[in-house]
Amino acid sequence: MSPCTLSIHQEITTQLVDVSHKQSAEDEQQLKLKLKMLTNISNVLRACAQRHGVAAVMSARTYADFTSEATFEIKKCDTFKLDVAPATEVVMTRDEGLHYYRVMQTIRRMELKADQLYKQKIIRGFCHLYDGQEACAVGIEAAINLSDHLITAYRAHGYTFTRGGTVKEIMAELTGRRGGIAKGKGGSMHMYCKHFYGGNGIVGAQVPLGAGVALACKYQGNNELCVCLYGDGAANQGQIFETYNMAALWKLPVIFVCENNRYGMGTSVERAAASTDYFKRGEFIPGLRVDGMDILCVREATRFAAEHCRAGKGPVLMELQTYRYHGHSMSDPGVSYRTREEIQEVRSKSDPISLLKDRMLSNNMASIDELKEIDVAVRKEIEDATLFATTDPEPPLEDLCNHIYHNNPEIEVRGTNPWSKLKSVS
Amino acid sequence: MMAAAARLFVRSTNPRLGQVVSGGLLSSLSRTQTQKRNLAHFTYQPDPVPTQYGPTQKMNLFQSVTSALDNTLADDPTAVIFGEDVAFGGVFRCTVGLRDKYGKDRVFNTPLCEQGIVGFGIGAAVAGATAIAEIQFADYIYPAFDQIVNEAAKYRYRSGNLFDCGNLTIRAPWGCVGHGSLYHSQSPEAFFAHCPGIKIVIPRGPVQAKGLLLSCIKDKNPCIFFEPKILYRAAVEQVPVDAYTIPLSQAEVLQEGSDVTLVAWGTQVHVMKEVANMAQEKLGVSCEVIDLQTILPWDAETICKSVAKTGRLLISHEAPLTGGFAAEISSTVQEECFLNLEAPISRVQVEVLRGHQEDDQLLTDTCSP
């Protein structure tokens, strides 16, 4: 905004305030005229914003000038055995948008920091990173409640965060310290928190578990559901099909989510699956194929599926088409089975955070500075968490053997040296 | 390990060693307060170069496996290799180059389904193909447990010898590797040892691996071949280029001794060899080191003969102590060699499941020996 227009804007605002106190009809007329002028100026400025670039304009706007909510058109989901589909016109409020941005940015930064720490050998073992897929975790969480349940495989850092874990706890778990979310005994693949059942290493093993959790929900009649995630590689495991059968037979409130990131470790979906329509693989379970890079698509589809489950209609199978920027794990560079161009393309055209950011900025829902502030705050949070994760002590020796069994009387456990006895006090 | 050997002597009636041992050695080996990196403190000791099988080439463990598979695919037109990611060479490079050489109908990938892989393998074997299935990590073999135990092992018996899946060999990376944690470190040989009808083989190095693998493939029984993953790169030896076999169910005496018999398999053999040297130097104890090689059916004769000579037995493995294969050996030996034993048989579980931090020590066993 040029200084000239700014001063006019301010003058009119002041005048309107003055005028509003007076009672005469003439003044009212004046008021209306000036309001009209104000609106026109606002519109012109908005148009300017789009033409001249956002930065110059936005810095002068106050928060009251942002749109509090906007309607967006999203991609239609492919459906299978469903007569209705999730809405294609959705509303997102400014607060929601900022929240999603912050959460996705936190996950992104956290994963990149984990990458850094792994390369510095501060994190050891296995580390499967989630960057690129943030829209899935955040979108799903946006449509369910914290009282619902969720279980996933080993690419779990994002979900641990959306389900209520703090960045500090997650990073401390990665570095194996006592402040970690699993007390430092689980590591990258085994993170848990309330109503979040991990964090599971064996591919596909978590799916029957998810159905079991859903059964408990149904049995207890608490109107909760279970979101049960697995990947495109796991979709070919036998136990998944056993679970589909049980869930459909007993109408369990479970949302099966196949996070299809196109590669099962190093094998592309075409080479592993006879049918890559993962949302149809439930055969007798209604399915949705969703654009997993668009958070609003994910949210809307999850809302739809959650409604379906809570109405007692049984399970739904959602395939989220998404992408991971990193390789399968930190031991995989990720470029031997796909091209760098492919990764770059997805990054530039479909990055979930960029998509959300563009949406918000072009609909005047936030300013670039505001988003930058969020970025700075997120970076600080990650730095603090990293400091904690690198300085917190490791679990004490006394804790090492605990929780093999439940509340057993104290038992002796052997260590690497057979004459050093440790105690499991459960 | 040293302390284990030492304790055997403390328990025995040999007065000469009693005092020396109980004092210094045990305390020096007791756990220190600081958590040190305890991973696999062993040096790989290569076998002497075999001369009876023809020209040799320097190979590490995964290369010797590739060589064995190469020989098999060349000599046996019905041989096929399949598993997760084997086409590009496998996650441990065991099948590098084979697809290019022999074609994609002989070396192919399967989807992620262990139960399916083994079941499919059994079927292929029954129909006459030499099926070599790879399970990506031994930790993932459990979905296939039913197929192995209930189908593969019992096929011949239940069909009255009309059918069998002897052409099936299952290969899997096995054992601790330091950073493997819960699901990339397991040694499941004890689970399968409980099942008659299959054979279980674990090599200690490249020369043994190639010979034993070729024996497994030729053997007319379904075999499980566990490859110690920590040795894939670390173990380098001169391995014969041509095909050769090492007989199954024959334990190998690596070092003769007179005071104590040490039995191990896989990676642990190298630890044992070091222990034997240390025992000789520090305690003047002469150890006989035996590599069991075939877990099922195991060579009880060699072990018992050795124990009859030495009077003491120490068995060591990575798997949890309770119900580990050492228990089976112990039980048989005490039955056969009761009157020869000078001391109770000692079982040592070394190298516990590692946590994700290398100096984290996550424990799996709850029994004391």
Side-chain angles (χ1 to χ4, degrees):
Chain A
M1 186 194 286
S2 71
C4 173
T5 351
L6 176 58
S7 53
I8 296 172
H9 179 106
Q10 281 172 340
E11 213 190 88
I12 292 176
T13 322
T14 330
Q15 285 193 5
L16 279 171
V17 170
D18 288 341
V19 165
S20 63
H21 292 307
K22 301 198 178 125
Q23 301 293 320
S24 66
E26 193 196 283
D27 290 328
E28 253 190 62
Q29 181 104 35
Q30 282 273 338
L31 176 59
K32 279 184 186 154
L33 189 68
K34 283 173 182 175
L35 269 174
K36 196 171 173 200
M37 273 174 69
L38 185 62
T39 322
N40 284 346
I41 289 174
S42 290
N43 289 342
V44 165
L45 288 168
R46 212 165 276 151
C48 280
Q50 281 156 358
R51 266 186 290 127
H52 297 302
V54 178
V57 179
M58 293 314 183
S59 54
R61 320 281 309 253
T62 62
Y63 289 148
D65 295 323
F66 292 122
T67 329
S68 60
E69 64 175 48
T71 317
F72 298 94
E73 273 260 354
I74 55 173
K75 236 191 256 181
K76 189 169 193 310
C77 297
D78 295 324
T79 59
F80 175 68
K81 297 227 158 125
L82 281 168
D83 299 321
V84 286
T88 48
E89 266 195 33
V90 296
V91 172
M92 181 175 79
T93 68
R94 189 182 115 84
D95 289 335
E96 282 172 351
L98 289 173
H99 174 72
Y100 301 155
Y101 182 82
R102 191 186 175 122
V103 178
M104 288 206 284
Q105 193 69 290
T106 310
I107 297 176
R108 175 70 59 94
R109 292 270 124 227
M110 186 174 69
E111 296 298 76
L112 294 178
K113 180 54 82 172
D115 170 290
Q116 205 183 36
L117 291 176
Y118 192 93
K119 291 181 174 144
Q120 293 173 335
K121 299 205 182 217
I122 296 172
I123 296 178
R124 313 299 301 274
F126 296 99
C127 195
H128 305 85
L129 298 178
Y130 198 65
D131 53 320
Q133 299 186 211
E134 296 88 356
C136 298
V138 183
I140 290 176
E141 194 59 46
I144 59 174
N145 311 316
L146 276 175
S147 56
D148 289 318
H149 308 263
L150 195 139
I151 186 170
T152 183
Y154 44 76
R155 206 174 294 281
H157 306 164
Y159 290 99
T160 319
F161 183 65
T162 53
R163 287 261 94 199
T166 62
V167 184
K168 248 192 189 165
E169 288 173 325
I170 295 173
M171 303 227 67
E173 186 58 41
L174 287 173
T175 53
R177 308 302 164 104
R178 66 175 80 179
I181 204 165
K183 304 194 178 59
K185 302 211 281 191
S188 164
M189 284 199 276
H190 309 292
M191 295 193 183
Y192 301 81
C193 65
K194 188 154 196 280
H195 290 213
F196 173 55
Y197 304 86
N200 296 282
I202 298 293
V203 171
Q206 75 279 9
V207 181
L209 250 92
V213 171
L215 176 74
C217 296
K218 180 168 181 175
Y219 188 78
Q220 293 171 331
N222 49 26
N223 202 31
E224 290 163 12
L225 51 80
C226 181
V227 181
C228 180
L229 296 115
Y230 55 93
D232 47 276
N236 302 316
Q237 271 276 328
Q239 37 196 336
I240 312 273
F241 295 93
E242 292 181 12
T243 315
Y244 289 159
N245 185 46
M246 288 192 285
L249 189 63
W250 300 324
K251 290 205 164 38
L252 302 179
V254 52
I255 304 176
F256 294 111
V257 178
C258 177
E259 279 181 298
N260 178 2
N261 58 19
R262 304 195 217 166
Y263 299 95
M265 205 158 85
T267 307
S268 69
V269 291
E270 301 81 44
R271 293 195 296 126
S275 160
T276 53
D277 291 332
Y278 293 103
F279 70 116
K280 291 188 184 166
R281 298 263 282 247
E283 208 202 326
F284 33 76
I285 295 181
L288 288 169
R289 180 157 52 196
V290 183
D291 177 5
M293 301 304 265
D294 180 351
I295 189 178
L296 295 177
C297 277
V298 178
R299 184 185 74 170
E300 212 45 49
T302 313
R303 248 184 212 156
F304 179 87
E307 232 176 80
H308 189 276
C309 285
R310 286 194 228 273
K313 297 186 192 162
V316 178
L317 172 50
M318 258 171 39
E319 177 191 339
L320 300 180
Q321 292 188 306
T322 181
Y323 200 82
R324 53 167 161 81
Y325 297 145
H326 271 88
H328 164 75
S329 71
M330 287 306 297
S331 340
D332 171 25
V335 287
S336 50
Y337 46 85
R338 53 186 190 173
T339 59
R340 281 187 210 273
E341 287 77 43
E342 182 188 289
I343 307 173
Q344 256 318 103
E345 202 192 324
V346 177
R347 231 189 242 278
S348 55
K349 297 215 182 107
S350 329
D351 182 79
I353 300 178
S354 302
L355 281 176
L356 178 65
K357 188 169 171 182
D358 289 340
R359 272 208 176 114
M360 291 192 67
L361 291 175
S362 58
N363 282 275
N364 191 31
M365 293 180 90
S367 72
I368 264 220
D369 283 343
E370 204 178 351
L371 296 180
K372 278 212 170 71
E373 268 169 36
I374 297 181
D375 287 349
V376 168
V378 163
R379 255 177 240 261
K380 175 148 196 327
E381 194 182 346
I382 307 291
E383 285 307 316
D384 290 343
T386 309
L387 185 62
F388 176 71
T390 45
T391 53
D392 202 38
E394 286 174 356
L397 232 48
E398 301 80 58
D399 258 2
L400 221 44
C401 318
N402 293 349
H403 307 121
I404 295 174
Y405 283 108
H406 166 77
N407 277 355
N408 246 22
E410 202 176 271
I411 43 175
E412 278 194 334
V413 189
R414 278 187 23 179
T416 45
N417 181 330
W419 290 273
S420 67
K421 303 283 191 190
L422 297 172
K423 302 229 183 285
S424 170
V425 299
S426 263
Chain B
M1 179 58 52
M2 267 302 292
R7 216 167 78 149
L8 261 181
F9 288 96
V10 172
R11 280 170 168 178
S12 77
T13 53
N14 190 331
R16 174 171 64 89
L17 295 166
Q19 293 93 318
V20 174
V21 160
S22 48
L25 209 56
L26 281 174
S27 54
S28 70
L29 286 169
S30 66
R31 174 186 289 282
T32 55
Q33 277 312 295
T34 54
Q35 289 172 318
K36 294 195 317 271
R37 181 177 179 160
N38 285 323
L39 164 66
H41 263 280
F42 73 96
T43 329
Y44 178 75
Q45 304 184 22
D47 273 358
V49 181
T51 47
Q52 70 270 49
Y53 303 121
T56 63
Q57 194 187 323
K58 184 162 129 172
M59 294 187 210
N60 59 28
L61 188 66
F62 73 73
Q63 286 166 339
S64 72
V65 170
T66 317
S67 176
L69 296 174
D70 195 348
N71 291 134
T72 307
L73 288 167
D75 299 335
D76 179 352
T78 70
V80 283
I81 301 176
F82 51 91
E84 290 160 27
D85 299 309
V86 297
F88 86 97
V91 287
F92 288 108
R93 316 267 290 267
C94 295
T95 48
V96 169
L98 296 178
R99 185 176 166 101
D100 292 333
K101 199 166 167 189
Y102 295 102
K104 58 183 166 62
D105 53 337
R106 296 186 73 189
V107 180
F108 55 91
N109 283 340
T110 58
L112 215 166
C113 46
E114 287 74 22
Q115 187 172 20
I117 292 170
V118 174
F120 174 90
I122 294 171
V126 170
T130 300
I132 304 165
E134 178 181 300
I135 299 289
Q136 198 157 82
F137 281 89
D139 312 53
Y140 307 157
I141 206 168
Y142 306 116
F145 195 84
D146 172 71
Q147 284 288 342
I148 296 171
V149 168
N150 276 335
E151 307 298 324
K154 299 172 166 68
Y155 221 118
R156 189 190 294 276
Y157 187 86
R158 71 185 188 210
S159 66
N161 207 21
L162 192 62
F163 288 107
D164 70 87
C165 55
N167 293 330
L168 175 65
T169 306
I170 301 168
R171 288 178 39 243
W174 169 99
C176 281
V177 70
H179 54 275
S181 189
L182 297 169
Y183 302 117
H184 297 77
S185 313
Q186 290 179 38
S187 313
E189 70 272 10
F191 292 116
F192 295 101
H194 195 53
C195 172
I198 52 173
K199 293 199 175 180
I200 308 167
V201 178
I202 307 176
R204 67 172 182 276
V207 174
Q208 309 306 112
K210 179 166 169 174
L212 290 169
L213 180 56
L214 285 168
S215 294
C216 284
I217 293 170
K218 293 194 162 62
D219 192 277
K220 304 227 188 305
N221 295 293
C223 296
I224 306 179
F225 188 75
F226 287 125
E227 301 160 1
K229 60 175 87 67
I230 200 175
L231 297 179
Y232 272 136
R233 285 177 195 268
V236 184
E237 278 175 355
Q238 288 285 345
V239 180
V241 178
D242 296 326
Y244 62 100
T245 55
I246 291 177
L248 298 183
S249 296
Q250 261 190 40
E252 194 178 330
V253 179
L254 298 177
Q255 190 180 308
E256 301 244 351
S258 55
D259 295 325
V260 62
T261 304
L262 305 177
V263 175
W265 48 90
T267 322
Q268 205 55 16
V269 172
H270 304 287
V271 180
M272 284 299 212
K273 285 207 261 188
E274 277 186 2
V275 168
N277 291 338
M278 277 170 78
Q280 182 68 62
E281 282 170 43
K282 300 215 167 105
L283 300 173
V285 164
S286 156
C287 303
E288 180 148 307
V289 180
I290 303 184
D291 176 6
L292 192 60
Q293 293 189 331
T294 305
I295 306 300
L296 186 75
W298 65 285
D299 186 356
E301 203 187 313
T302 308
I303 312 286
C304 289
K305 247 176 40 191
S306 173
V307 175
K309 183 172 76 172
T310 63
R312 294 173 190 87
L313 177 62
L314 186 150
I315 314 151
S316 179
H317 56 68
E318 289 175 17
L321 200 65
T322 310
F325 199 65
E328 170 63 33
I329 300 176
S330 265
S331 191
T332 305
V333 168
Q334 64 84 29
E335 228 180 282
E336 301 290 326
C337 312
F338 186 71
L339 295 172
N340 302 95
L341 286 170
E342 301 277 339
I345 298 173
S346 183
R347 300 174 296 150
V348 180
Q349 179 211 350
V350 186
E351 205 55 67
V352 295
L353 281 190
R354 307 219 62 92
H356 57 105
Q357 290 293 354
E358 56 180 1
D359 41 7
D360 204 46
Q361 286 155 52
L362 208 62
L363 297 159
T364 56
D365 194 56
T366 61
C367 272
S368 46

